[in-house]
Structures are given as structure tokens and as C-alpha cells.
Amino acid sequence: MTVHKQFLVRAAARNNAEWCAVMSRSHGLAGAFDPQVWAAPARTPLFYPDAVTLVPGADPAALAARIDTSAPGASVKDSFADLDLTGAGFRMLFEAQWIHRPASAPDTTPDLAWHVAGDPDTLHAWALAWDNGNGNPDLFRPELLDDPATFVLAGRSADGRVVAGAVASHSDQVVGISNVFALDGGPDAAWPVVLDAVHWLFPTLPVVGYEHGEHLAAAVRHGFEPVGPLRIWLHG
């Protein structure tokens, strides 16, 4: 891995950990950062890890000791894909790639208008569209609106419905994108409007995130490059 990619992976991992911390705080759970990891002492919200490594070579035993492995579903985001957590009772759930896109406008002109959700009703409409009937729209709580680094991006159809979107998380060196969705057309329909919003909000910052499978292929089609692997470990 080149020095530049090492920098990008570290920046992406830190940005993602900060977003996980924001999401956990919105559910009343305070995690903590140390030089190696961010970790929460109790189970984090659905789909969110209990710990995120910030540097290569984190101590697996110290990491496992900081999270609640007695609760079902405990997980770790191994940001550098360099840990073996099997001895602590974990199994690898999946591997993904950190992705990076230089600061620039989208390659494809978006056909949706967008705005940043700024009130609980708009956030709820976004969450209902993101969830698409799976029963988890309350994952995104109004407390998220109080965080100055979090931008919930909503793409609207001509009749005003939220039909696409993502969450943008601003940090000093990058802007991280997560929860990319579109009700029709999948991520290929979402990325143009998301990238248009991010370029307007943060025109000088590179964009990072992580994806795998078909979602990774879609991100590459929209100007991202994979810069390094990560792994998600699940306990039990």
C-alpha cells in the first residue's frame, strides 16, 4: 500500500469511527476514543460496530475487553484487515474495501433535487425511504440533527418524495459517506445526487467510505477507487 493510500485509510477509519460515535450518542450511548480504537461499553445501534480500529496492529485482547461480548451481536470493524479475533470468540462476517474519490463534481448530472434534512419530520421521511419497509426507520433519531458534522442528504423526486440519499460525515481531512440508497435504480441512481450534494457542501474535501460486492462496483463506476481492505467481525 502506498503512503497516500495509508493516509486515506487512516482518515477514512477515523471518520467512520466518529460517525459511529455520533450514531451511538443519538441512542444515549457514549463510546470513547483511545490511540488504537473507538469502542462502546454496551451494545451499539443495529448495524453499527461496538469498536472501530484506528491504526494498524491494534491489540485484540485489549479491544475485546472494552466491549460487551455477552450481549448478542457484538461486532468489530477491523479497519486494516490485520486482526485475528477468533481467539476472542469472533468470526469474520465479511470483507469490504475503503473507497476514495478526489474532490470533484459528479461525472453524471443528477436528475433529483436534494437538500439536507433539518427537522425531525424530514429526517423521519428520509429514514422511512432508507428503510424501505424493513422495520428499522427509528434507527435514525432526531438527536442526529444536533451534530454539526452530520448531514443527512435527501434526494427528492418531482412530486417531493424522498427517493434517494445518504449520510455525509464531515471531518478535518475528508467527508465520509454512508447509508447510500435509492428506492429505484440502486446506488447508481443515488451516487450522482449524493456526490452533487457533497461537492456543493464540501468542494475541497476528498470523499471516502466503504463498500463491498455490487455496491463497491457501483462506487467505482462513479469515480471511486478502492484503497484498502477492512473486515467486520461478529461475536458468537
Side-chain angles (χ1 to χ4, degrees):
M1 185 183 294
T2 67
V3 172
H4 182 58
K5 286 186 176 181
Q6 289 175 357
F7 163 79
L8 290 171
V9 169
R10 283 179 180 251
R14 178 76 190 199
N15 174 277
N16 188 261
E18 290 171 355
W19 162 237
C20 292
V22 168
M23 193 65 170
S24 294
R25 284 197 302 271
S26 74
H27 285 251
L29 176 62
F33 286 87
D34 73 18
Q36 292 193 342
V37 302
W38 170 84
R43 283 296 294 112
T44 44
L46 184 67
F47 307 131
Y48 285 80
D50 299 78
V52 181
T53 61
L54 306 174
V55 295
D59 182 341
L63 185 158
R66 291 188 58 192
I67 64 178
D68 182 8
T69 55
S70 67
S75 63
V76 171
K77 185 171 290 173
D78 173 9
S79 300
F80 303 87
D82 64 351
L83 301 183
D84 182 357
L85 298 177
T86 54
F90 288 82
R91 60 181 174 87
M92 192 178 75
L93 188 61
F94 65 87
E95 187 168 278
Q97 283 280 330
W98 294 110
I99 56 174
H100 160 257
R101 189 181 191 277
S104 63
D107 298 329
T108 304
T109 302
D111 56 6
L112 298 173
W114 65 267
H115 69 282
V116 177
D119 60 79
D121 288 343
T122 305
L123 176 63
H124 187 60
W126 180 95
L128 286 170
W130 168 87
D131 182 63
N132 197 23
N134 289 317
N136 301 301
D138 293 337
L139 184 64
F140 295 91
R141 298 184 173 180
E143 288 82 357
L144 288 175
L145 301 174
D146 298 329
D147 183 72
T150 299
F151 297 76
V152 178
L153 308 175
R156 290 188 180 271
S157 61
D159 61 4
R161 293 180 301 117
V162 177
V163 296
V167 174
S169 305
H170 172 261
S171 54
D172 290 341
Q173 299 170 314
V174 295
V175 55
I177 300 297
S178 62
N179 297 284
V180 177
F181 76 92
L183 295 182
D184 296 305
D188 281 309
W191 275 121
V193 68
V194 170
L195 290 172
D196 186 60
V198 169
H199 184 60
W200 192 88
L201 292 167
F202 313 107
T204 63
L205 286 180
V207 184
V208 296
Y210 76 93
E211 297 289 357
H212 68 111
E214 287 301 314
H215 287 265
L216 175 60
V220 170
R221 287 193 291 271
H222 290 274
F224 286 88
E225 67 163 335
V227 292
L230 68 137
R231 293 174 181 154
I232 304 298
W233 295 84
L234 181 67
H235 192 263

